[in-house]
Amino acid sequence: MNQTNLLIYGATGSIGDSVLSLVRNNKDQFNIIGMTCNNNIKKLSKLSEEFNTKNIGIARFNKNINYKKYFPGKKIYFGLEEFPDLIKIKSDVIILGISGGSILNLALNIAKSGKVIGMANKECIVSLGSIIFDLAKLNKTKIVPLDSEHNSIYQLLKAYKHSYESITITASGGPFLKRKRNELRDVTIEDALAHPIWRMGKKISLDSATMINKGLELIEAKYFFDIDVNKINILIHPQAIIHGLISFHDGSVISFMSQPDMRVPISNLLFKNKRIKLNDLSLDLANIKTLNFLSVDTVKFPAVRIAREVAVLGGLAPHGFNYINDKLTNLFMKKKIGFLDIVNFNEITLNKFFSSNPNQKKPSINDIVEFNKWIDRNIYLGE
Ligand code: NDP
Ligand code: MG
C-alpha cells in the first residue's frame, strides 16, 4: 500500500496529539517525515523515536541543551526561519498545527508548496486572508480546513453542490455561557481555560472563553469559502454535536453532526472516503437526547460583534484584531490585564489605529509588518 508522507508542524500540541493518535492506529498507512515543536523537546524526542521521524524542527533554540542527546541521528532545523526548509523534503500532506499568529512567513511558504495542507492554525488565515488563498491557487496547493466547524461546512459543500443562501458555524459558548457579564470581570486564568467540551491548547481555550475564537472563525469562514460576511451565521449550541449547517433558498437546512473530537475533521483529511473506523466516536442521539440552540449575546461577548465589523472592513482590520488579540491574551496569561480587557483593549486599539491611519484594502506583508510596529508602540493597555 502507498504510504502518505506526513509533515506535522506543532506535533507536540493538542492538534498534534489528535493527528498522531490516528496515525498510531494506522501505522502502515503513514510515514511521518518531519515533526516540530516550540520547546517541548522531551515530548518531541519520544514521538520522533516512536514514529521513526528523521527530520525535527525546534523553534526555540537553547544553547544550554545538548540536542544530539535527545535526537540522535536526526536532522534538526532550528528556529522558525528554518522551518520552511522542511517543506522541501518529500511529503504529501502538511499539517499546520502551530498555535498563534507568529508563523505568517511559514504559512506563506506552505501556501506555495503545491501540497495538501491540513490547516488547523486559523490565525494565519485571518491575518493573511486572500494573500494565502491567491498563493495557494497559483501554486496548486490544496488547503483543507481542520477547524471543526469549517471542516464540517467543507464536507457538506462537497456532498451538496446546490447554490446555498447562508452557512452557520456553531459555538459551544465556552466556559462562561451561563455567567453574567459583570461576573466576568475577575475570572482567573484557570476559569477561562476550563472549556466545558473541547480539550485544546491554552491560546484557543482562552479565545473560546472571550468568544474571540468564534470571531476569528467567522473571518476564517469568509476567506475559506469566499463568502459574504452577512451570509455567515453563528449559533450557540452548547452540546457541540452539530458543527456546521448550510441553508438553501427553499428554507431547507443540512447539518453536520459528530462527537466533538478533532479526530473527525483530521481523519477526513487523512483517510479517503471516510475509510476509517472510529468506534469510540459513534453518535448515539437517543442517549444525547437534547440539542439546544441560542443566539449569541453580543453585549456579553462583544468579540463576536467586533469580529463581524472587522470582517466587513477587510484589509488590515482582521489582521489587526488577531495580532492585538495575540498580544493581549499573552498579557492576560501573565496576569497583567483582566479578562474583559482582552476584548475591550483590542477594540480601543483598533479604533485608535483607524482614526489616524487608512485601511489598506489589499495589504502586503510589508504593510502588515509596519502595522505590527505601530501596534507594538501604541497598543491601549488602560489609563
Ligand atoms: P497547542 O498549544 O496545544 O499546541 C501548539 C503547538 O505549536 C505545539 O506543538 C507547540 O510547541 C507549537 N508552538 C507554539 N508556539 C510556537 C511558536 N512560536 N513557534 C513554533 N511552534 C510553536 O495548540 P492547539 O493544538 O490547541 O492549537 C493549534 C492551532 O490549531 C491553533 O491555531 C488553534 O486555533 C487551532 N485549532 C485547534 C483546535 C484544537 O482542538 N486544539 C481546534 C481548532 C483549531 P510546544 O509543545 O513545544 O509548546
Ligand atoms: Mg473551531
Side-chain angles (χ1 to χ4, degrees), residues 10 12-15 38-40 59 97-98 120-123 147 201 262:
T12 49
S14 153
I15 290 289
N38 191 26
N39 55 8
N40 190 352
I98 295 178
N121 179 291
K122 62 194 87 186
E123 290 91 342
D147 213 343
M262 288 307 288

Side-chain angles (χ1 to χ4, degrees), residues 86-364:
L86 285 157
I87 303 171
K88 295 176 196 150
I89 304 162
K90 186 179 166 342
S91 63
D92 306 301
V93 177
I94 302 177
I95 307 284
L96 188 48
I98 295 178
S99 57
S102 63
I103 52 154
L104 298 193
N105 184 48
L106 176 63
L108 290 174
N109 277 286
I110 286 177
K112 286 186 213 156
S113 69
K115 301 184 183 189
V116 175
I117 314 302
M119 183 61 86
N121 179 291
K122 62 194 87 186
E123 290 91 342
C124 64
I125 299 288
V126 170
S127 277
L128 296 170
S130 48
I131 303 179
I132 210 164
F133 288 99
D134 290 351
L135 265 183
K137 203 170 169 193
L138 200 67
N139 293 281
K140 299 196 167 51
T141 304
K142 183 175 166 191
I143 306 183
V144 178
L146 292 186
D147 213 343
S148 53
E149 300 77 6
H150 304 69
N151 186 272
S152 71
I153 301 280
Y154 181 85
Q155 291 196 47
L156 289 173
L157 289 176
K158 260 194 158 173
Y160 289 80
K161 309 267 184 215
H162 321 300
S163 80
Y164 61 88
E165 199 162 73
S166 64
I167 64 173
T168 301
I169 55 176
T170 60
S172 70
F176 303 138
L177 181 63
K178 294 201 175 114
R179 294 208 196 180
K180 298 204 170 61
R181 180 151 173 96
N182 62 16
E183 293 169 343
L184 298 184
R185 195 161 307 279
D186 298 320
V187 297
T188 63
I189 297 172
E190 290 71 32
D191 294 335
L193 296 187
H195 199 282
I197 305 272
W198 298 93
R199 293 284 151 266
M200 312 180 283
K202 286 184 180 164
K203 157 79 168 47
I204 183 173
S205 298
L206 178 54
D207 285 349
S208 300
T210 55
M211 283 204 77
I212 285 226
N213 182 50
K214 217 41 63 176
L216 295 176
E217 290 186 357
L218 177 89
I219 304 165
E220 188 188 8
K222 168 187 156 158
Y223 291 122
F224 251 115
F225 305 114
D226 195 15
I227 172 176
D228 220 78
V229 183
N230 62 25
K231 293 189 170 176
I232 310 171
N233 308 304
I234 297 175
L235 180 67
I236 303 272
H237 166 42
Q239 293 85 1
I241 295 296
I242 295 182
H243 306 285
L245 307 103
I246 298 188
S247 304
F248 298 106
H249 306 287
D250 63 358
S252 61
V253 177
I254 52 169
S255 72
F256 185 99
M257 293 195 222
S258 76
Q259 294 285 1
D261 190 302
M262 288 307 288
R263 284 175 296 159
V264 175
I266 296 167
S267 66
N268 188 252
L269 170 79
L270 295 181
F271 301 91
K272 285 210 172 68
N273 303 320
K274 294 185 173 282
R275 288 186 75 87
I276 178 169
K277 197 99 189 93
L278 294 171
N279 288 330
D280 59 321
L281 296 185
S282 62
L283 193 59
D284 180 353
L285 287 174
N287 188 34
I288 291 170
K289 288 193 172 59
T290 320
L291 299 181
N292 299 108
F293 305 98
L294 294 90
S295 45
V296 184
D297 178 348
T298 52
V299 175
K300 186 159 97 180
F301 295 113
V304 176
R305 169 186 55 77
I306 301 165
R308 205 171 268 289
E309 289 167 11
V310 152
V312 169
L313 277 176
L316 268 176
H319 166 70
F321 180 61
N322 181 41
Y323 182 73
I324 297 166
N325 181 54
D326 261 7
K327 293 182 82 79
L328 293 173
T329 49
N330 265 324
L331 290 174
F332 174 76
M333 297 298 259
K334 290 181 183 154
K335 299 189 177 166
K336 298 262 166 60
I337 61 171
F339 180 75
L340 293 178
D341 298 335
I342 300 173
V343 176
N344 286 346
F345 292 177
N346 192 328
E347 186 170 34
I348 294 170
T349 306
L350 277 175
N351 286 338
K352 205 169 148 191
F353 178 82
F354 286 116
S355 63
S356 51
N357 298 278
N359 195 4
Q360 303 280 345
K361 275 293 161 202
K362 259 205 169 266
S364 63

